[in-house]
Amino acid sequence: MSLTLNRDRMISEIEALASISEAEPPVVTRIVFTASDLKARAWMKARCKKAGLTVREDAVGNTFARWNGSDPSAAVVGTGSHIDAIPNAGKYDGVVGVLGGLEAIRALQQSGFRPRRSIELLTFTSEEPTRFGIGCLGSRLLSGTLSPDAARKLKDNDGATLDEVRRGAGFPGELEEVKLPIGYFHAFVELHIEQGPLLEQQQIPLGIVTKIAAPASLRILIEGSGGHAGAVLMLDRRDALCAAAEMILAIENAARTSGAMDTVATVGICDVFPGAVNSIPSRVRLSVDIRDTDVRRRDQVMRAIETACHSISNGRHLTTSFELLNADAPADSAPIIIEALSQSCLKHESKFMTMVSRAYHDSLFVARIAPVAMLFIPCREGYSHRPDEYASPEDIARGTLVLAETLAALSE
Ligand code: GLV
Ligand code: MN
Ligand code: MN
C-alpha cells in the first residue's frame, strides 16, 4: 500500500474551517450550538459526504462519518476529535484530528486499500467546556460517563438547558440513545496537537500518548454584602471579590506545593456581581480547573483548596459554597494501539517518543468503552488555547500519514 496525502487540500481545509468563527481572524471562537458551530458542522458533513462517507448524528450532535468495511458486522475502528473552539482560540486544537482523520481516510481510499472493519470519523460535540461548564460532553454521553439525567440538568450561562439548546440546533432525539455499547469500537485513535512544548524542545516529530491526566473542575460561589463604594467604610465591608482574590492565590499555592510538578490549577473565570465600579462586589463565582497525572494527589489538592477557601471565607464573615462539575479518573492507552502507532512510525521512518497528555481529550472518555491511544504532533512553543497556536504543514502531514497507516493496520 502506498499512501499519498493531499497536503495542500488539508491545509486549505484547516484555513477554511478557521474562517468559520465568531471572532475576527486569526482568532477562532466556535462555541457549541452557536451559528458558527452549526455552520462548521454543515461544512464538515459536506466534506465527509464528498469523500463518500455515510454520515449520521446522534441526539447530542456527535457526528459519525463511516467508510464501510467489507465486514459490516465487525467492531469499528474510530478516529476523530472536535471542532468547537474556546473563546480566543487558534486553528488547530481538535481540528487537526478531524481533518487529519478525513485526509487519512481519503488517502487510504485512493491507495486502493479496502478495510475489513468499517472506519468511522467522529466529530464530538462540545469537547470544550465553554457553554455548559463541562468538557467532552459528547464523548461523556457516548461512553456512558455522563448519564442522560445529569446531562439534562446542564444549563448554559443564559439559563437555557442542554435539551432546549440541542433541540433548537436540530438534534431532537433522545439522549438515552447516545451511549454506544462496549465493543462498538475495536479501537479508537485520536490525532491532536501536543498543546505543550516537549516535542518541539526535543525535536521529535511525533508523540504517542500512553496516559491522559485526570481533570476536575469546580465552581466556588462567594456571597458577601454589597453597597455603596463611597459610603461603606472599610471596616464594615464584606467584599466577595477581596475574598476571591485571596482564594485565587490559595488555589495557586495548593497546586504549587502539592509536591509534584504534575499538579496544575487555574482559575479561568471570575464572575463579579453586580459588576459596577462604584458598587462593592456582593457575589463572586470562580471557575476552577485542577489536573494531575495522579488522581489521589489531585483529590488531596482539591480538599486543600476547599479548606483554604472556607478559612478565608470565615475570616471575612462570608458564605462560600462549592459546586463540583467533574472529577474524572485518568486513562491509560491500550498497548495494542500504542504498538500499532509505533509500527506505523517505524514504517514511515519517523522518530517518536511516548508521553503523557496533560490536556484532556475525547479519548479520555472513549477509553471507558474501547481501547484508545493518541498521536501528538508538535505545536509552536507549545502554544494552544490562544490565537497564535500553530502546527506546521509538514508536522500535520506526518501525523496524518502515521494515522492513516495505523487505521489501515487496525481495520484489517
Ligand atoms: C481541552 O481543551 C483541555 O482543556 O484540556
Ligand atoms: Mn481545547
Ligand atoms: Mn482539543
Side-chain angles (χ1 to χ4, degrees):
M1 180 178 64
S2 149
L3 287 172
T4 318
L5 298 181
N6 187 335
R7 188 167 99 180
D8 292 347
R9 171 174 60 188
M10 195 176 16
I11 299 304
S12 71
E13 284 175 340
I14 290 172
E15 296 299 325
L17 193 46
S19 74
I20 307 175
S21 167
E22 287 147 43
E24 286 300 309
V27 179
V28 179
T29 300
R30 220 165 24 236
I31 313 296
V32 67
F33 298 142
T34 57
S36 65
D37 178 56
L38 297 181
K39 193 169 168 196
R41 286 165 180 271
W43 180 89
M44 190 61 216
K45 276 192 288 180
R47 308 302 304 167
C48 290
K49 285 182 185 158
K50 194 161 178 223
L53 309 181
T54 311
V55 176
R56 82 171 171 92
E57 293 160 321
D58 68 18
V60 77
N62 290 319
T63 307
F64 301 69
R66 175 185 283 237
W67 181 19
N68 281 317
S70 59
D71 181 357
S73 64
V76 162
V77 173
T79 189
S81 194
H82 62 99
I83 59 170
D84 65 321
I86 64 164
N88 202 42
K91 295 174 189 165
Y92 304 91
D93 175 5
V95 166
V96 161
V98 174
L99 288 175
L102 177 60
E103 185 59 31
I105 290 174
R106 290 185 300 218
L108 287 168
Q109 288 171 333
Q110 219 201 326
S111 74
F113 174 81
R114 292 292 167 261
R116 180 176 76 79
R117 300 176 182 279
S118 298
I119 298 180
E120 268 186 356
L121 173 65
L122 274 85
T123 309
F124 294 97
T125 287
S126 196
E127 192 264 357
E128 302 291 6
T130 313
R131 185 154 187 181
F132 292 101
I134 188 165
C136 298
L137 189 51
S139 50
R140 280 177 194 273
L141 277 162
L142 173 151
S143 61
T145 313
L146 179 71
S147 70
D149 278 344
R152 276 189 280 269
K153 294 197 181 104
L154 295 172
K155 287 188 182 164
D156 70 8
N157 274 337
D158 298 326
T161 65
L162 172 64
D163 270 354
E164 286 163 355
V165 176
R166 72 181 173 90
R167 290 199 170 115
F171 303 100
E174 293 304 321
L175 289 182
E176 275 69 13
E177 287 158 17
V178 174
K179 185 174 175 338
L180 294 176
I182 292 193
Y184 180 88
F185 288 118
H186 169 68
F188 186 85
V189 197
E190 181 172 357
L191 174 68
H192 206 282
I193 56 168
E194 181 198 344
Q195 304 183 285
L198 298 181
L199 291 172
E200 188 184 66
Q201 280 169 3
Q202 302 193 23
Q203 300 193 325
I204 296 184
L206 291 170
I208 298 180
V209 173
T210 53
K211 177 175 181 155
I212 304 177
S217 58
L218 53 95
R219 291 191 186 123
I220 305 176
L221 188 68
I222 309 152
E223 297 205 57
S225 177
H228 197 286
V232 182
L233 296 180
M234 296 314 282
L235 284 180
D236 297 329
R237 292 192 182 199
R238 290 167 58 231
D239 182 324
L241 187 55
C242 290
E246 282 192 52
M247 289 182 194
I248 292 169
L249 295 180
I251 291 165
E252 180 188 43
N253 188 50
R256 281 192 164 180
T257 56
S258 76
M261 302 283 283
D262 286 333
T263 320
V264 288
T266 309
V267 179
I269 308 178
C270 176
D271 298 305
V272 182
F273 184 84
V277 67
N278 55 353
S279 181
I280 299 163
S282 60
R283 210 159 60 222
V284 169
R285 192 174 73 166
L286 299 178
S287 299
V288 192
D289 178 304
I290 305 156
R291 313 182 191 205
D292 204 314
T293 50
D294 182 314
V295 72
R296 282 205 306 209
R297 190 170 51 223
R298 183 205 63 195
D299 290 346
Q300 258 167 23
V301 167
M302 287 171 72
R303 283 192 292 273
I305 287 174
E306 200 163 333
T307 306
C309 291
H310 275 310
S311 144
I312 292 163
S313 178
N314 292 340
R316 289 176 167 271
H317 307 292
L318 308 175
T319 311
T320 295
S321 57
F322 290 77
E323 183 192 1
L324 181 67
L325 298 175
N326 63 289
D328 302 296
D332 289 320
S333 298
I336 65 156
I337 310 184
I338 295 176
E339 179 58 21
L341 282 164
S342 314
Q343 290 302 328
S344 303
C345 290
L346 288 175
K347 201 160 171 179
H348 290 278
E349 294 175 351
S350 190
K351 271 174 78 179
F352 67 90
M353 62 188 261
T354 54
M355 60 198 306
V356 167
S357 170
R358 295 173 189 283
Y360 59 70
H361 301 282
D362 293 301
S363 289
L364 177 67
F365 298 99
V366 179
R368 316 292 194 226
I369 55 161
V372 306
M374 294 186 69
L375 182 64
F376 277 178
I377 59 167
C379 53
R380 190 170 59 200
E381 311 242 4
Y383 291 164
S384 186
H385 284 185
R386 44 190 279 180
D388 52 358
E389 177 178 273
Y390 176 77
S392 72
E394 297 72 33
D395 286 331
I396 295 171
R398 188 184 294 104
T400 302
L401 197 60
V402 168
L403 175 68
E405 194 69 51
T406 308
L407 295 176
L410 293 168
S411 64
E412 271 173 354

